[in-house]
Amino acid sequence: ATLLQLSPELFFSSANTTLFAIKDSAISNSSLPPRLVKKLLRYHTSPLRLSFEHLVNMTQGTCLPTLYQNKKIAITKIDEKERSVEINHVLVSHPNLFLEGPISIHGVLGPFSALDPSDVNEGWDIIQSPACDSSSNMVSDVPDAKNMVEWSRIIRLLSSNGFVSFAVGLNSVLDR
């Protein structure tokens, strides 16, 4: 929430954005320093607009770009029958929380990378992205959306679905 207040450009630096909001219970007791939180949140943001339909119709192993240092996230499991998707082995628990205009927001059960601040040295990158196959498994373009975004609706949806910290930060950015 604080990072959204201080650096909204981290999340909205591209025309299209998909946010993978981490469930409050997965990060509420986190003791990560601010620089690692910044990396983590950039890693949970893609410069593509991806609906759940896009995700569920992808091929397992497909990699998606993020806003963090050319790191990628991977579709690690798709269950078409159960209509579920895992990214980096983390379940998309709240698909299509918000899906309008250039913004898509999906809730996920936890971070896409294991984070242990005691293992971090200044020169080592804590976020380990999955190995991606050739560029044929890399998504780089998704249909564009041009509708206006109803921010108050996004805030209500996030708040009512267990993403209060994320919603508070987003709301404070929008109040500017």
Side-chain angles (χ1 to χ4, degrees):
T2 301
L3 190 57
L4 272 169
Q5 291 173 354
L6 299 175
S7 302
E9 71 279 358
L10 292 177
F11 300 95
F12 306 110
S13 59
S14 65
N16 294 310
T17 302
T18 297
L19 301 172
F20 294 98
I22 304 167
K23 191 83 169 159
D24 284 349
S25 59
I27 58 172
S28 61
N29 293 325
S30 175
S31 61
L32 294 174
R35 67 182 174 82
L36 295 180
V37 172
K38 184 176 180 177
K39 289 179 180 184
L40 177 67
L41 294 177
R42 288 182 67 100
Y43 190 56
H44 280 78
T45 306
S46 178
L48 304 171
R49 182 184 183 273
L50 301 164
S51 69
F52 189 71
E53 284 303 313
H54 286 116
L55 295 172
V56 82
N57 288 317
M58 290 181 175
T59 305
Q60 193 165 304
T62 297
C63 288
L64 306 169
T66 70
L67 295 182
Y68 179 64
Q69 297 181 349
N70 297 320
K71 298 275 185 174
K72 307 206 179 353
I73 53 178
I75 306 292
T76 51
K77 183 177 179 183
I78 298 172
D79 187 331
E80 292 180 37
K81 184 178 178 184
E82 295 292 321
R83 304 277 306 153
S84 68
V85 173
E86 289 183 8
I87 299 174
N88 289 15
H89 305 289
V90 176
L91 181 66
V92 176
S93 58
H94 293 75
N96 294 341
L97 268 176
F98 184 83
L99 188 63
E100 286 185 25
I103 306 287
S104 294
I105 301 176
H106 307 287
V108 295
L109 290 181
F112 291 153
S113 180
L115 300 173
D116 182 359
S118 65
D119 291 341
V120 179
N121 298 322
E122 283 298 319
W124 186 70
D125 191 353
I126 192 168
I127 295 179
Q128 302 297 308
S129 61
C132 292
D133 296 333
S134 69
S135 60
S136 64
N137 267 357
M138 175 67 186
V139 173
S140 60
D141 192 27
V142 174
D144 198 7
K146 306 261 189 242
N147 301 330
M148 292 299 294
V149 176
E150 293 180 43
W151 291 107
S152 59
R153 185 167 161 231
I154 292 173
I155 300 301
R156 284 192 310 272
L157 285 168
L158 286 169
S159 296
S160 66
N161 285 287
F163 301 92
V164 175
S165 298
F166 199 87
V168 167
L170 182 58
N171 191 45
S172 66
V173 169
L174 296 171
D175 283 345
R176 289 187 191 169

